[in-house]
Amino acid sequence: MAPADVTNEALRIDGVLAVSLDRILYATSPVIADPVRYALASGGKRIRPVLCTLAWRAAGGTPGHAGADDVACAVELIHTYSLIHDDLPCMDDDDLRRGRPTVHRVYGSERAAVAGAAMIPLAFSLLEQGMDSIGLPEPERRTARQELARGAGAGGMVGGQVMDLAGEKALVELPALREIHSRKTGALIVAALRLGAMAARADDATVDVVGAFGAAVGLAFQIVDDVLDETGEAATLGKTAGKDRAQEKATFPGLLGRAEAMRHAHEAVEQAVSKIAAAGLDPAPFHVVGDFVLHRDR
């Protein structure tokens, strides 16, 4: 896998996602369907579904399998719902996401909140369709459902969002900051990789090692996000720059300085790729995705 392959896979996921939405929204009222489509049509890095399909292939799954794509897109639905809610006035109150007005600026806060909530059961419906296509037996299906719920829920992403809000204008030390973002950012990335491997019926050791890679990538992703918030411009980022400082959030560069924060990010990814290799998996595609996360500009 070359760096361009990450972008190409993200573009492929965009096409798959559009088809999947037609399937799962066909009977849904436009009151909900329109903001859902708007949120998901805005592009994005699609790093979570890309990582899910990476783990699927690493564990022996056939590239481009429709069922694996559905599993990957289920993770993206969860991620995108979280962005809709994150942007609401009661949370980060942002006007720009992926280079376009945020969902609540287009459709109003009430419709945005409802559309975001509706995407959670839609994601689990898509997960079920994917597992049907793959032919996973019920015990593995139950484990997969639990994995997505854990990554998205109070012990994962949602819990991290709550901790992040509580940390505004407060003194947050490095261990606490790592804990916040291991949940807010990392938990769903971990779940994406573990789900990809589970879908391919990988053994527990393989599921665990790709999940550990996800934890490292999640940390690196958040560190780069924090740095870009300080150094990037809205036109490139596709979202409002400088929000962290304006809201007095604790950030990795704020605590460590930019150079030291990036050193932590690089070290985490390098160690995780080494563990992938030690587990007997091909480290090359994991290295490429890690580099993509570390060197992105948005």
Side-chain angles (χ1 to χ4, degrees):
M1 177 183 276
D5 292 333
V6 179
T7 301
N8 290 338
E9 180 67 358
L11 291 172
R12 189 186 71 82
I13 290 291
D14 279 341
V16 170
L17 193 54
V19 174
S20 298
L21 283 178
D22 287 341
R23 277 190 282 128
I24 62 178
L25 289 175
Y26 73 96
T28 304
S29 164
V31 173
I32 294 174
D34 288 352
V36 168
R37 290 184 186 280
Y38 178 84
L40 284 161
S42 59
K45 294 171 285 296
R46 307 299 193 203
I47 194 66
R48 291 155 189 82
V50 167
L51 287 167
C52 187
T53 58
L54 168 63
W56 159 266
R57 292 192 302 272
T62 304
H65 190 290
D69 286 345
D70 279 346
V71 173
C73 288
V75 179
E76 185 66 7
L77 259 66
I78 293 290
H79 172 59
T80 304
Y81 115 72
S82 77
L83 300 182
I84 295 174
H85 283 192
D86 224 23
D87 290 335
L88 288 171
C90 61
M91 294 188 66
D92 281 352
D93 192 16
D94 217 329
D95 297 328
L96 195 65
R97 172 70 68 178
R98 293 174 174 170
R100 303 193 305 171
T102 47
V103 175
H104 71 277
R105 292 299 181 202
V106 176
Y107 293 97
S109 294
E110 294 83 359
R111 284 182 72 180
V114 170
M119 291 171 76
I120 304 170
L122 287 172
F124 278 89
S125 174
L126 199 52
L127 176 65
E128 290 293 337
Q129 291 181 33
M131 294 189 295
D132 278 343
S133 178
I134 293 166
L136 283 183
E138 181 54 34
E140 283 87 345
R141 294 166 74 113
R142 183 168 58 249
T143 302
R145 292 185 206 108
Q146 291 170 343
E147 188 68 42
L148 184 56
R150 183 165 46 247
M157 181 187 70
V158 170
Q161 288 174 314
V162 171
M163 294 168 70
D164 187 46
L165 289 169
E168 291 180 7
K169 300 179 176 64
L171 178 63
V172 178
E173 300 292 349
L174 184 59
L177 186 62
R178 290 180 71 111
E179 176 65 17
I180 289 170
H181 290 298
S182 71
R183 297 188 185 196
K184 183 183 177 184
T185 303
L188 195 60
I189 290 176
V190 170
L193 282 143
R194 289 178 62 89
L195 280 167
M198 287 176 179
R201 304 186 193 185
D203 58 33
D204 290 346
T206 299
V207 172
D208 287 344
V209 77
V210 299
F213 176 80
V217 166
L219 172 63
F221 193 96
Q222 185 60 50
I223 290 173
V224 173
D225 251 17
D226 287 355
V227 170
L228 289 174
D229 185 77
E230 290 190 356
T231 62
E233 297 182 357
T236 302
L237 296 176
K239 59 184 179 180
T240 307
K243 290 283 290 186
D244 291 342
R245 188 179 298 276
Q247 295 176 330
E248 299 181 51
K249 287 180 178 285
T251 68
F252 287 99
L255 287 178
L256 300 172
R258 292 173 196 165
E260 181 65 11
M262 288 303 300
R263 188 189 68 79
H264 275 249
H266 281 270
E267 185 177 89
V269 170
E270 288 167 7
Q271 290 178 354
V273 171
S274 295
K275 291 177 181 177
I276 290 286
L281 301 175
D282 180 7
F286 292 89
H287 180 75
V288 169
V289 174
D291 270 358
F292 176 86
V293 168
L294 289 167
H295 299 295
R296 63 196 172 90
D297 61 0
R298 64 185 180 92

